Amino acid sequence: MDTELRWAFVQRLAATGDYDEAEIAAELERDRTAAGERHAATARAARPTEAAKAEAWASVVEDDKLANAVQEAVIGGFVQSDQRELLAPYTAKYFAAVKGVSETRSHEMIQQIVVGLYRRSRSRGRRWTRRTPGWRSTGRLRRCGVW
């Protein structure tokens, strides 16, 4: 089976809770490449548990140690359309974190976080759209080309 296709299966199985950390790690052992590292990061962040979401959130928003490509992979795994209830607590956290992120990260990292977490999640309901106008005009976000 093609490596990319295999990872697509792993990521979806992780998102539905049918693959755990041990299975993701075993798959990464089969594909010890940079792409494998990114795919494993996506799968880990996609797991439907509070712990997986908290770990992914912390690695992207609270820490600044991820490489750009890995951060993007984690964001892609974090936001799953069928995990709305699990992601609901991150609505307030998102808006609280945006300003700090915009003051401490590079333009590319800011854009990944602000756009990646917001745009994929804004269909989550009125809470998102009601909060947007108040912070969207943040100067640094505009300079980065985010808004």
Side-chain angles (χ1 to χ4, degrees):
M1 178 184 297
D2 175 72
T3 304
E4 294 297 312
L5 181 60
R6 194 171 67 243
W7 274 115
F9 284 127
V10 169
Q11 289 167 0
R12 190 62 200 142
L13 288 166
T16 59
D18 294 312
Y19 253 41
D20 62 16
E21 174 57 34
E23 291 164 309
I24 295 167
E27 193 58 43
L28 179 57
E29 202 51 45
R30 289 179 68 181
D31 180 15
R32 298 297 302 173
T33 65
E37 294 284 342
R38 292 189 304 273
H39 289 307
T42 300
R44 287 182 179 117
R47 291 174 296 160
T49 66
E50 290 179 13
K53 296 306 178 192
E55 182 181 325
W57 179 266
S59 71
V60 168
V61 177
E62 298 167 8
D63 196 1
D64 64 353
K65 303 215 180 336
L66 293 179
N68 292 10
V70 176
Q71 176 178 283
E72 186 174 36
V74 172
I75 291 169
F78 179 82
V79 181
Q80 298 292 316
S81 62
D82 56 348
Q83 296 175 355
R84 289 182 181 186
E85 289 181 20
L86 195 56
L87 295 173
Y90 292 93
T91 300
K93 291 179 182 182
Y94 172 86
F95 288 101
V98 167
K99 188 173 190 299
V101 166
S102 71
E103 294 173 346
T104 60
R105 307 288 178 90
S106 70
H107 288 205
E108 183 175 345
M109 298 297 251
I110 294 167
Q111 191 163 10
Q112 283 180 4
I113 294 168
V114 173
V115 175
L117 293 177
Y118 178 79
R119 296 233 169 133
R120 293 180 187 188
S121 302
R122 71 177 173 189
S123 64
R124 301 294 186 252
R126 295 179 191 267
R127 287 183 294 175
W128 284 92
T129 54
R130 280 195 308 240
R131 291 176 181 237
T132 302
W135 62 266
R136 188 166 90 165
S137 61
T138 302
R140 181 149 165 90
L141 296 178
R142 285 194 165 185
R143 286 192 302 274
C144 293
V146 174
W147 301 108

